[in-house]
Every structure is written in C-alpha cells, then in structure tokens.
Amino acid sequence: MKMSVIGCGYLGAVHAACMAELGHEVVGIDVDQSKIDALAAGQAPFFEPGLPELLRSATATGRLSFSTDPAAAKGSQVHFVAVGTPQKKGENAADLTYVDAAVDGLIPFLSEGDLVVGKSTVPVGTAARLAAKVKAGAPGADLAWNPEFLREGFAVKDTISPDRLVYGLPGGEGHAHAKALLDEVYAIALGNDTPLVVTDYATAELVKVSANAFLATKISFINAMAEIAEVTGADVTQLADAIGFDSRIGRKFLNAGVGFGGGCLPKDIRAFTARAEELGRGESVAFLKEVDAINLRRRQRVVDLVVESLGGSVFQKKVAVLGLSFKPDSDDVRDSPALDVAVQLNGLGADVIATDPESIRNAQRLHPQLSFTENTADALAGAEAVVILTEWKEFRELDPAWAFGLVENAIVIDGRNCLDMAAWREAGWTYQGLGRP
Ligand code: UDX
C-alpha cells in the first residue's frame, strides 16, 4: 500500500521505516531538512537500536523515501500523522500546533477514499475536531485515530510486532472503508493474532493517555513506597519483588528510583489533567497531580542525598554523574530526571562531570554549562561522589573495585537501584540507593 508519514521524529521515522520493511511503499515527510537528509541517506537522526539497519535495508528496496514537500503525500492512500504534541510553555495542556499544521498541510493533497490516520498523542476530542476539518477540506477523505504505544529503545520491535492495535474509526459510511484500509496496513501483525480493539475516536484517544497515566501512576506508587521505606528502614526493591509476584500487580514498572521522564509520560499526565479540567472532570484525575509531585520529589531526594553525603555542601566538590538520558538505550534527554539532577547539582556549585553512552550531544545543547566526558573512567577520576542516574548496561556492570581505585571518595548514590548493593559495600563503597537501607 502507498502511504505517507507526516513527522519524522522518534515516532514517525520508526513508523515509516517499519511500514516499508513490512512491504508498503512509504514517503516520510518532515519540515526539518537536516532530518530528512539524514534519513534519506539511511542515517537515524537519533539513537534507536535497530533503526539504522532498518533504514538502510528499507531505502535499498526503493520502498522508502523522504521529503520536505507536503505534496509528496499525494498519491498515498493512507496518511499517518506522527508529529509531536509537546507541553505548552507555562501550561499543562498539550500544544496541538504541529498536529493542526500537519492536517492543514495534508488536506490539499488528499484524494477520494484517502484516510488520514492520527498517531500522535492528543487530548480527547481532537480527532473529532480534525475529522470535521478533513471533511470540510477534502469531502472524499476520512480520518481514523490509531494510537501508538512504542517505547523508545524498543521502538522497532514495538512497531513491527505491537502488543495490541487500536482503531478509533469514524461512524457512518466511512467506517468500513477506514477499517479495511487499516487492516491492510497491519495485515502482518493481524495475521500473527495481534489483539485488535475497534472503537470510536474518543475511546482511542483515551486509551493512549490512560495507558501512560497508568504506567506513570505505577512508577509513582512504588516511589511513594520508597519514601515510606526511607523512614522505616525497609527495602523498596524487595517490597517490589514481593508484591510483583502477585500476577494481578506484576513486577514490571515497579522500579523505584529517580522517577520517570521523557517525551511522553510527564507531559501526557499533565495534558490529561488539563483536558479533564476543561471537561469539568478535573477531580477524576486529580491524583495525577500527586503522581507528578511524587515523581518530581524523587529528583530532589537524589540531590539531597548527594549534598548530605558530602557533609552538607557540594560547593566546588567533584560529582560524577553517570547517565543523562531519561532511560537507557535512548539519547532522549527530554524531561530527563538525570539531566535535571545534574543541572541542580551544578546550580548548587558542584563541579559536575557527566557521562552517557549516547546523549552527551543532546544534553550539551540544552545545558552547555555542564562538563561532559565520553569516558566513564575520566568522570570517576578524583570524584568526591558518584551518582548513577540512568541504568545503562555499562553502568550497571561497573566493577566496584576498579571504580574504587579511581575516585577520591568512595560514595555512590544509586538513583536507579541498579547496582549490586552488597558487592559495592563489600568493595569499600558507602552505597545509598532510593528507598533502601
Ligand atoms: C512510554 C510508554 O511506555 C509507551 O508505551 C508510550 O508509547 C510512550 O511513553 P517511553 O517514554 O519510551 O514510553 O519510556 P518508558 O519505558 O515507559 O519509561 C518512562 C520513564 O519511566 C523512564 O524515565 C524510565 O526510567 C521510568 N521508569 C520506568 C521508572 O522509573 N521505573 C520503572 O519501573 C519503569
């Protein structure tokens, strides 16, 4: 099938490459010339495992191309809208400028029977509004909402073999046609028995935000337990293991630490709260404000632990920060707890030296005042305290005896509870995790 993907960021670039890999003929469209140039040359403009290989193989088949010209969408039957919906500056609500611009830009190039498919995460009610816009500008075309659940770091796998598909379809005449087109898009996944939920716009939009709200709540729940553990001497990691054995609860997303960040969970729970308030149902999701507050308190807790461990002041003390991305296997530093902690420590006068396998460039662009090194040993050399903030494999597997030989003070704050506490203590380190004795 011929399809266009509008927006070639973390979501759109992966979606375009995966659709081509599955046999479709895809054009990726973005306003950013440098991104399009990189993608067209088979290079991923951001770090995502498996994406460079996929881009190279898909472009070699001739089925994947990229363009900055919205007219390139003409001739495709299905048009995915995969642009960002960031948090508005100074507000909780989502900024829909890019979504509206993408749909407006697409309308002149739509033909009879085309389907616009929203993938961006939007406030409930957006799809109905955009559908009316499409109908007004291109009466023969329709709109569906098909939320995306991919995780950075696993984006290729999550797109090729999603754990479920959700179609939010128009009512009336367009319903069957829209479903048939989406079934063709996802024929391989459907053939592999991927669960499918066919529903209306509002449900499809809400599925996405409620999934992210649930995940954020799960993380803040365990982080709240970490706060209680900290005043009682309990160990939140054992607590998580024990409650996680209950299959109704499950162990996933119960890792206590410096909390969640990234381009999705923080802004999605805030946008959800703002939308619920607009709808007069603010109280229904008022708990998400608490989820957000718990999450942000954990960042402060890590900063406080570093200050305490250095006797009450970090001024002119060398602090090694291991990890900058919001999670491992990603170079994304959007709302990253790790970067936030590094910046706060720097603001307190610490001599911060930060390292990360993939995100130094992105972090440096936002916070050039920090010092960076690509070499973990250099970050550790002479450090008076070490803080682990992203659980990259190479940090989880650090040899505590080797690291001991490099630092000035053997003090480690494990902001992700990812180190072997006993092994580090045995090697002579003063170890402090989050919610751990
Ligand atoms: C999330 C959703 O998982 C995905 O379904 C959606 O499509 C987009 O948002 P992503 O932002 O890639 O995906 O990251 P995710 O793996 O969910 O992690 C989010 C944050 O939570 C990270 O900062 C991670 O470190 C943190 N986290 C996760 C925890 O602090 N503890 C956990 O147990 C799990």
Side-chain angles (χ1 to χ4, degrees), residues 193-215:
D193 293 331
T194 303
L196 168 65
V197 178
V198 177
T199 183
D200 51 79
Y201 292 152
T203 307
E205 293 167 312
L206 278 172
V207 165
K208 173 62 198 230
V209 282
S210 58
N212 277 354
F214 191 88
L215 293 172

PDB file of all heavy atoms in Angstrom, residues 193-215:
ATOM      1  N   ASP A 193      -2.097 -12.724  14.953  1.00  0.00           N
ATOM      2  CA  ASP A 193      -3.041 -12.715  16.092  1.00  0.00           C
ATOM      3  C   ASP A 193      -2.833 -11.570  17.073  1.00  0.00           C
ATOM      4  O   ASP A 193      -3.102 -11.708  18.268  1.00  0.00           O
ATOM      5  CB  ASP A 193      -3.005 -14.059  16.856  1.00  0.00           C
ATOM      6  CG  ASP A 193      -3.557 -15.178  16.004  1.00  0.00           C
ATOM      7  OD1 ASP A 193      -4.419 -14.884  15.151  1.00  0.00           O
ATOM      8  OD2 ASP A 193      -3.114 -16.328  16.187  1.00  0.00           O
ATOM      9  N   THR A 194      -2.362 -10.430  16.586  1.00  0.00           N
ATOM     10  CA  THR A 194      -2.253  -9.252  17.452  1.00  0.00           C
ATOM     11  C   THR A 194      -3.669  -8.831  17.852  1.00  0.00           C
ATOM     12  O   THR A 194      -4.524  -8.665  16.976  1.00  0.00           O
ATOM     13  CB  THR A 194      -1.563  -8.101  16.693  1.00  0.00           C
ATOM     14  OG1 THR A 194      -0.287  -8.574  16.255  1.00  0.00           O
ATOM     15  CG2 THR A 194      -1.390  -6.869  17.562  1.00  0.00           C
ATOM     16  N   PRO A 195      -3.915  -8.653  19.156  1.00  0.00           N
ATOM     17  CA  PRO A 195      -5.268  -8.235  19.568  1.00  0.00           C
ATOM     18  C   PRO A 195      -5.629  -6.889  18.946  1.00  0.00           C
ATOM     19  O   PRO A 195      -4.776  -6.004  18.831  1.00  0.00           O
ATOM     20  CB  PRO A 195      -5.156  -8.105  21.090  1.00  0.00           C
ATOM     21  CG  PRO A 195      -3.937  -8.861  21.478  1.00  0.00           C
ATOM     22  CD  PRO A 195      -3.013  -8.850  20.298  1.00  0.00           C
ATOM     23  N   LEU A 196      -6.882  -6.772  18.530  1.00  0.00           N
ATOM     24  CA  LEU A 196      -7.357  -5.543  17.884  1.00  0.00           C
ATOM     25  C   LEU A 196      -8.594  -5.034  18.609  1.00  0.00           C
ATOM     26  O   LEU A 196      -9.522  -5.800  18.870  1.00  0.00           O
ATOM     27  CB  LEU A 196      -7.710  -5.855  16.423  1.00  0.00           C
ATOM     28  CG  LEU A 196      -8.492  -4.775  15.667  1.00  0.00           C
ATOM     29  CD1 LEU A 196      -7.657  -3.503  15.496  1.00  0.00           C
ATOM     30  CD2 LEU A 196      -8.930  -5.292  14.279  1.00  0.00           C
ATOM     31  N   VAL A 197      -8.573  -3.751  18.937  1.00  0.00           N
ATOM     32  CA  VAL A 197      -9.762  -3.117  19.523  1.00  0.00           C
ATOM     33  C   VAL A 197     -10.260  -2.089  18.521  1.00  0.00           C
ATOM     34  O   VAL A 197      -9.538  -1.149  18.176  1.00  0.00           O
ATOM     35  CB  VAL A 197      -9.424  -2.435  20.877  1.00  0.00           C
ATOM     36  CG1 VAL A 197     -10.668  -1.732  21.442  1.00  0.00           C
ATOM     37  CG2 VAL A 197      -8.879  -3.446  21.877  1.00  0.00           C
ATOM     38  N   VAL A 198     -11.461  -2.302  18.027  1.00  0.00           N
ATOM     39  CA  VAL A 198     -12.061  -1.357  17.081  1.00  0.00           C
ATOM     40  C   VAL A 198     -13.066  -0.514  17.853  1.00  0.00           C
ATOM     41  O   VAL A 198     -13.969  -1.049  18.494  1.00  0.00           O
ATOM     42  CB  VAL A 198     -12.758  -2.099  15.920  1.00  0.00           C
ATOM     43  CG1 VAL A 198     -13.433  -1.101  14.980  1.00  0.00           C
ATOM     44  CG2 VAL A 198     -11.755  -2.948  15.152  1.00  0.00           C
ATOM     45  N   THR A 199     -12.863   0.798  17.802  1.00  0.00           N
ATOM     46  CA  THR A 199     -13.687   1.649  18.648  1.00  0.00           C
ATOM     47  C   THR A 199     -13.901   3.018  18.009  1.00  0.00           C
ATOM     48  O   THR A 199     -13.662   3.206  16.819  1.00  0.00           O
ATOM     49  CB  THR A 199     -13.037   1.728  20.064  1.00  0.00           C
ATOM     50  OG1 THR A 199     -13.877   2.494  20.910  1.00  0.00           O
ATOM     51  CG2 THR A 199     -11.665   2.373  20.027  1.00  0.00           C
ATOM     52  N   ASP A 200     -14.369   3.963  18.818  1.00  0.00           N
ATOM     53  CA  ASP A 200     -14.641   5.324  18.336  1.00  0.00           C
ATOM     54  C   ASP A 200     -13.421   6.216  18.615  1.00  0.00           C
ATOM     55  O   ASP A 200     -12.475   5.808  19.289  1.00  0.00           O
ATOM     56  CB  ASP A 200     -15.882   5.868  19.059  1.00  0.00           C
ATOM     57  CG  ASP A 200     -15.748   5.692  20.553  1.00  0.00           C
ATOM     58  OD1 ASP A 200     -15.046   6.485  21.195  1.00  0.00           O
ATOM     59  OD2 ASP A 200     -16.286   4.676  21.082  1.00  0.00           O
ATOM     60  N   TYR A 201     -13.496   7.442  18.140  1.00  0.00           N
ATOM     61  CA  TYR A 201     -12.374   8.371  18.328  1.00  0.00           C
ATOM     62  C   TYR A 201     -12.023   8.590  19.807  1.00  0.00           C
ATOM     63  O   TYR A 201     -10.856   8.504  20.199  1.00  0.00           O
ATOM     64  CB  TYR A 201     -12.717   9.757  17.746  1.00  0.00           C
ATOM     65  CG  TYR A 201     -12.846   9.845  16.245  1.00  0.00           C
ATOM     66  CD1 TYR A 201     -13.680  10.822  15.685  1.00  0.00           C
ATOM     67  CD2 TYR A 201     -12.134   9.013  15.391  1.00  0.00           C
ATOM     68  CE1 TYR A 201     -13.802  10.952  14.309  1.00  0.00           C
ATOM     69  CE2 TYR A 201     -12.268   9.137  14.017  1.00  0.00           C
ATOM     70  CZ  TYR A 201     -13.101  10.106  13.471  1.00  0.00           C
ATOM     71  OH  TYR A 201     -13.215  10.234  12.121  1.00  0.00           O
ATOM     72  N   ALA A 202     -13.041   8.920  20.583  1.00  0.00           N
ATOM     73  CA  ALA A 202     -12.777   9.317  21.970  1.00  0.00           C
ATOM     74  C   ALA A 202     -12.106   8.186  22.749  1.00  0.00           C
ATOM     75  O   ALA A 202     -11.146   8.410  23.502  1.00  0.00           O
ATOM     76  CB  ALA A 202     -14.077   9.738  22.658  1.00  0.00           C
ATOM     77  N   THR A 203     -12.601   6.953  22.534  1.00  0.00           N
ATOM     78  CA  THR A 203     -12.005   5.824  23.260  1.00  0.00           C
ATOM     79  C   THR A 203     -10.551   5.638  22.828  1.00  0.00           C
ATOM     80  O   THR A 203      -9.661   5.454  23.660  1.00  0.00           O
ATOM     81  CB  THR A 203     -12.823   4.535  23.021  1.00  0.00           C
ATOM     82  OG1 THR A 203     -14.184   4.808  23.332  1.00  0.00           O
ATOM     83  CG2 THR A 203     -12.321   3.392  23.878  1.00  0.00           C
ATOM     84  N   ALA A 204     -10.314   5.713  21.517  1.00  0.00           N
ATOM     85  CA  ALA A 204      -8.950   5.509  21.023  1.00  0.00           C
ATOM     86  C   ALA A 204      -7.994   6.557  21.602  1.00  0.00           C
ATOM     87  O   ALA A 204      -6.883   6.237  22.033  1.00  0.00           O
ATOM     88  CB  ALA A 204      -8.931   5.566  19.495  1.00  0.00           C
ATOM     89  N   GLU A 205      -8.450   7.787  21.649  1.00  0.00           N
ATOM     90  CA  GLU A 205      -7.595   8.848  22.205  1.00  0.00           C
ATOM     91  C   GLU A 205      -7.334   8.595  23.689  1.00  0.00           C
ATOM     92  O   GLU A 205      -6.205   8.750  24.184  1.00  0.00           O
ATOM     93  CB  GLU A 205      -8.281  10.215  22.038  1.00  0.00           C
ATOM     94  CG  GLU A 205      -8.399  10.656  20.593  1.00  0.00           C
ATOM     95  CD  GLU A 205      -9.349  11.846  20.427  1.00  0.00           C
ATOM     96  OE1 GLU A 205     -10.470  11.835  20.973  1.00  0.00           O
ATOM     97  OE2 GLU A 205      -8.960  12.798  19.744  1.00  0.00           O
ATOM     98  N   LEU A 206      -8.394   8.185  24.380  1.00  0.00           N
ATOM     99  CA  LEU A 206      -8.258   7.971  25.829  1.00  0.00           C
ATOM    100  C   LEU A 206      -7.440   6.729  26.173  1.00  0.00           C
ATOM    101  O   LEU A 206      -6.784   6.691  27.214  1.00  0.00           O
ATOM    102  CB  LEU A 206      -9.651   7.856  26.473  1.00  0.00           C
ATOM    103  CG  LEU A 206     -10.343   9.189  26.769  1.00  0.00           C
ATOM    104  CD1 LEU A 206     -11.785   8.949  27.220  1.00  0.00           C
ATOM    105  CD2 LEU A 206      -9.589   9.969  27.845  1.00  0.00           C
ATOM    106  N   VAL A 207      -7.482   5.724  25.299  1.00  0.00           N
ATOM    107  CA  VAL A 207      -6.683   4.511  25.547  1.00  0.00           C
ATOM    108  C   VAL A 207      -5.221   4.907  25.731  1.00  0.00           C
ATOM    109  O   VAL A 207      -4.545   4.491  26.669  1.00  0.00           O
ATOM    110  CB  VAL A 207      -6.809   3.508  24.377  1.00  0.00           C
ATOM    111  CG1 VAL A 207      -5.727   2.444  24.454  1.00  0.00           C
ATOM    112  CG2 VAL A 207      -8.177   2.846  24.362  1.00  0.00           C
ATOM    113  N   LYS A 208      -4.768   5.771  24.840  1.00  0.00           N
ATOM    114  CA  LYS A 208      -3.348   6.141  24.878  1.00  0.00           C
ATOM    115  C   LYS A 208      -3.009   6.927  26.152  1.00  0.00           C
ATOM    116  O   LYS A 208      -2.063   6.593  26.865  1.00  0.00           O
ATOM    117  CB  LYS A 208      -3.021   6.956  23.628  1.00  0.00           C
ATOM    118  CG  LYS A 208      -1.629   7.544  23.601  1.00  0.00           C
ATOM    119  CD  LYS A 208      -0.557   6.482  23.619  1.00  0.00           C
ATOM    120  CE  LYS A 208       0.756   7.073  24.014  1.00  0.00           C
ATOM    121  NZ  LYS A 208       1.849   6.759  23.160  1.00  0.00           N
ATOM    122  N   VAL A 209      -3.769   7.958  26.441  1.00  0.00           N
ATOM    123  CA  VAL A 209      -3.407   8.769  27.610  1.00  0.00           C
ATOM    124  C   VAL A 209      -3.630   8.001  28.901  1.00  0.00           C
ATOM    125  O   VAL A 209      -2.867   8.156  29.858  1.00  0.00           O
ATOM    126  CB  VAL A 209      -4.136  10.131  27.665  1.00  0.00           C
ATOM    127  CG1 VAL A 209      -3.497  11.105  26.719  1.00  0.00           C
ATOM    128  CG2 VAL A 209      -5.611  10.046  27.414  1.00  0.00           C
ATOM    129  N   SER A 210      -4.664   7.136  28.933  1.00  0.00           N
ATOM    130  CA  SER A 210      -4.876   6.404  30.182  1.00  0.00           C
ATOM    131  C   SER A 210      -3.803   5.335  30.370  1.00  0.00           C
ATOM    132  O   SER A 210      -3.393   5.052  31.496  1.00  0.00           O
ATOM    133  CB  SER A 210      -6.297   5.844  30.283  1.00  0.00           C
ATOM    134  OG  SER A 210      -6.553   5.000  29.209  1.00  0.00           O
ATOM    135  N   ALA A 211      -3.313   4.743  29.274  1.00  0.00           N
ATOM    136  CA  ALA A 211      -2.215   3.768  29.403  1.00  0.00           C
ATOM    137  C   ALA A 211      -0.994   4.464  30.017  1.00  0.00           C
ATOM    138  O   ALA A 211      -0.372   3.956  30.957  1.00  0.00           O
ATOM    139  CB  ALA A 211      -1.858   3.174  28.045  1.00  0.00           C
ATOM    140  N   ASN A 212      -0.661   5.641  29.504  1.00  0.00           N
ATOM    141  CA  ASN A 212       0.503   6.343  30.045  1.00  0.00           C
ATOM    142  C   ASN A 212       0.251   6.830  31.470  1.00  0.00           C
ATOM    143  O   ASN A 212       1.164   6.816  32.306  1.00  0.00           O
ATOM    144  CB  ASN A 212       0.912   7.491  29.123  1.00  0.00           C
ATOM    145  CG  ASN A 212       1.777   6.982  27.970  1.00  0.00           C
ATOM    146  OD1 ASN A 212       2.149   5.816  27.936  1.00  0.00           O
ATOM    147  ND2 ASN A 212       2.090   7.848  27.028  1.00  0.00           N
ATOM    148  N   ALA A 213      -0.979   7.236  31.764  1.00  0.00           N
ATOM    149  CA  ALA A 213      -1.301   7.664  33.128  1.00  0.00           C
ATOM    150  C   ALA A 213      -1.156   6.487  34.093  1.00  0.00           C
ATOM    151  O   ALA A 213      -0.650   6.630  35.206  1.00  0.00           O
ATOM    152  CB  ALA A 213      -2.721   8.220  33.184  1.00  0.00           C
ATOM    153  N   PHE A 214      -1.586   5.308  33.642  1.00  0.00           N
ATOM    154  CA  PHE A 214      -1.484   4.118  34.500  1.00  0.00           C
ATOM    155  C   PHE A 214      -0.018   3.782  34.772  1.00  0.00           C
ATOM    156  O   PHE A 214       0.370   3.515  35.914  1.00  0.00           O
ATOM    157  CB  PHE A 214      -2.185   2.928  33.835  1.00  0.00           C
ATOM    158  CG  PHE A 214      -2.343   1.761  34.757  1.00  0.00           C
ATOM    159  CD1 PHE A 214      -3.456   1.654  35.575  1.00  0.00           C
ATOM    160  CD2 PHE A 214      -1.368   0.779  34.845  1.00  0.00           C
ATOM    161  CE1 PHE A 214      -3.593   0.590  36.461  1.00  0.00           C
ATOM    162  CE2 PHE A 214      -1.490  -0.287  35.723  1.00  0.00           C
ATOM    163  CZ  PHE A 214      -2.610  -0.386  36.530  1.00  0.00           C
ATOM    164  N   LEU A 215       0.796   3.816  33.725  1.00  0.00           N
ATOM    165  CA  LEU A 215       2.219   3.491  33.897  1.00  0.00           C
ATOM    166  C   LEU A 215       2.892   4.505  34.829  1.00  0.00           C
ATOM    167  O   LEU A 215       3.673   4.126  35.714  1.00  0.00           O
ATOM    168  CB  LEU A 215       2.929   3.486  32.533  1.00  0.00           C
ATOM    169  CG  LEU A 215       2.494   2.375  31.569  1.00  0.00           C
ATOM    170  CD1 LEU A 215       3.106   2.579  30.187  1.00  0.00           C
ATOM    171  CD2 LEU A 215       2.878   0.998  32.124  1.00  0.00           C
TER     172      LEU A 215
END
